[in-house]
Amino acid sequence: MKKIVVATNNEGKLKEIREILKDYQLVSLKEINCNIEVDEDQNTFEGNAKKKAKEISEKVNMPCIADDSGLCIDKYDGWPGVYTARFLGENSTSKQRNEYILEKMKKLEENERYARVECCVGYYDNECKKEKYIVGKGEIKGKIARNPRGTNGFGFDEIFELEDGRTLAELSAEEKNRISHRKLALQDLLNNM
């Protein structure tokens, strides 16, 4: 079984990736005592995912999977996009960011609340002789809910409402893993490996 480091210390994200990529031995940065912080300074999800995967792969000398994802609100030309986790500053919480988005959008009509969640997963193998990078992309569409709902999620899951009216945080882990942006990106990545 191939051993791959996943460039995250986010337990929710790691659990989700492990449930999807069951055929690989995935280890977290914490498990291999790697505390590298990659500066996510690229202007696309793909750029950040590739940069993280390459830097960490070269540092720990093993293949690496890194992702970057975010909430893109149509009304605001894709904002917050690559800044989803830090548009209120590096130390802001998901709750603070979600409250800010809900407050910003509170007067918008239903047809102005459309959004999508995008994910790009980059795989980099520093020992590979040919194509070192493989990229997978995924996207789901929905809208921003009026209020946070659900407890099965992290990040903006409780404010992202799907077409069936439930938020991502109202889905079970199994339901979410079947349709999530990360699942779609990881499936796309696997199809290219």
Side-chain angles (χ1 to χ4, degrees), residues 48-151:
N48 282 329
K50 287 170 77 172
K51 181 180 181 188
K52 283 192 286 190
K54 180 178 192 289
E55 284 188 28
I56 291 170
S57 176
E58 290 177 345
K59 167 97 173 163
V60 301
N61 201 31
M62 63 190 291
C64 179
I65 288 175
D67 82 310
D68 194 29
S69 59
L71 181 63
C72 303
I73 301 170
D74 295 352
K75 172 83 175 166
Y76 305 120
D77 297 320
W79 175 89
V82 294
Y83 306 104
T84 298
R86 56 192 181 279
F87 71 87
L88 283 181
E90 293 292 334
N91 298 317
S92 64
T93 65
S94 296
K95 185 176 191 300
Q96 290 168 327
R97 291 187 297 272
N98 290 345
E99 286 171 353
Y100 181 92
I101 289 169
L102 293 175
E103 180 63 26
K104 181 178 177 86
M105 298 183 71
K106 72 180 181 183
K107 292 183 179 170
L108 295 183
E109 301 294 327
E110 290 304 307
N111 65 349
E112 298 177 296
R113 303 182 76 81
Y114 291 107
R116 64 194 182 283
V117 183
E118 292 182 19
C119 179
C120 184
V121 178
Y123 171 86
Y124 185 85
D125 187 345
N126 63 316
E127 295 180 343
C128 186
K129 300 294 183 234
K130 45 183 184 152
E131 185 57 48
K132 292 178 181 273
Y133 280 117
I134 302 172
V135 172
K137 295 180 181 181
E139 173 184 287
I140 55 174
K141 295 184 180 199
K143 64 183 181 179
I144 303 302
R146 295 254 173 221
N147 299 293
R149 299 191 317 269
T151 57

